[in-house]
Amino acid sequence: MGWTDERVELLKKLWQDGLSASQIAKQLGGVTRNAVIGKVHRLGLSGRAAPSKPARTVFKAPRPARTISTTPSAPRRIAEPVAHTPQHPTPVRYVEEAPGTATVLTLGAHMCKWPIGDPSLDNFTFCGRRSGEGPYCHEHSQVAYQPVQTKKRSGPAELARSLRRYI
């Protein structure tokens, strides 16, 4: 179907009313959305009244509220710092954690982001204490970042072992 003067006038009116190209194509009949867009472009139409609104609104189901247990929890136990000697590596000491104070929504830029608990459970939190340099507080940084262990070199035996891959 061609563009008659009557159809062009109807197109102009519908475009000024704010209908979308798809809606105009349906009302005109016999033309596609792209044909309407092309004709609008060739006519130089601009300045629509208001963008058209979708026919239906999408509603999201609200998330259930997190339940916070009111039972008192054990205080946090922090590992004692151990003097480090290069000959004997220190064993990793893990911090026994009670639920933290920060959630994903309350976690700030300078708060410790050490995860506590299982992320798939409702009681999952973060440490939330003040962090120093980096994402973790001092205690969690000691657990997360272990010092580099130096290898014990045995002289000629180490040299022979390293050269074996080239022989």
Side-chain angles (χ1 to χ4, degrees), residues 1 15-18 33 38 43 51 62 67 95 105-106 108 124 132 147 149 157 163 166:
M1 201 175 259
W15 184 259
Q16 291 300 324
D17 289 344
R33 171 184 165 271
L43 291 172
T67 57
V95 179
L105 299 175
T106 61
F124 176 71
Q149 302 294 326
L163 291 175
Y166 298 110

Side-chain angles (χ1 to χ4, degrees), residues 49-129:
S52 63
K53 305 222 176 192
R56 62 176 195 203
T57 57
V58 178
F59 292 102
K60 283 188 170 182
R63 285 183 65 183
R66 289 182 81 175
T67 57
I68 300 173
S69 65
T70 57
T71 59
S73 59
R76 295 181 187 189
R77 296 182 187 167
I78 300 171
E80 298 277 330
V82 178
H84 182 274
T85 56
Q87 289 92 6
H88 305 290
T90 58
V92 177
R93 290 193 175 179
Y94 293 98
V95 179
E96 232 179 89
E97 295 290 346
T101 58
T103 64
V104 172
L105 299 175
T106 61
L107 201 59
H110 298 289
M111 294 174 77
C112 178
K113 293 162 185 66
W114 187 266
I116 299 172
D118 185 1
S120 64
L121 298 178
D122 286 339
N123 63 352
F124 176 71
T125 56
F126 294 92
C127 171
R129 288 183 277 183

Side-chain angles (χ1 to χ4, degrees), residues 7-51:
R7 287 171 60 90
V8 170
E9 289 303 316
L10 182 58
L11 167 70
K12 288 179 183 178
K13 180 190 172 302
L14 295 173
W15 184 259
Q16 291 300 324
D17 289 344
L19 270 67
S20 71
S22 298
Q23 293 168 334
I24 294 171
K26 283 181 187 175
Q27 285 197 11
L28 289 175
V31 292
T32 64
R33 171 184 165 271
N34 286 337
V36 170
I37 292 171
K39 189 65 175 176
V40 166
H41 181 69
R42 286 188 299 277
L43 291 172
L45 298 179
S46 63
R48 299 173 61 148

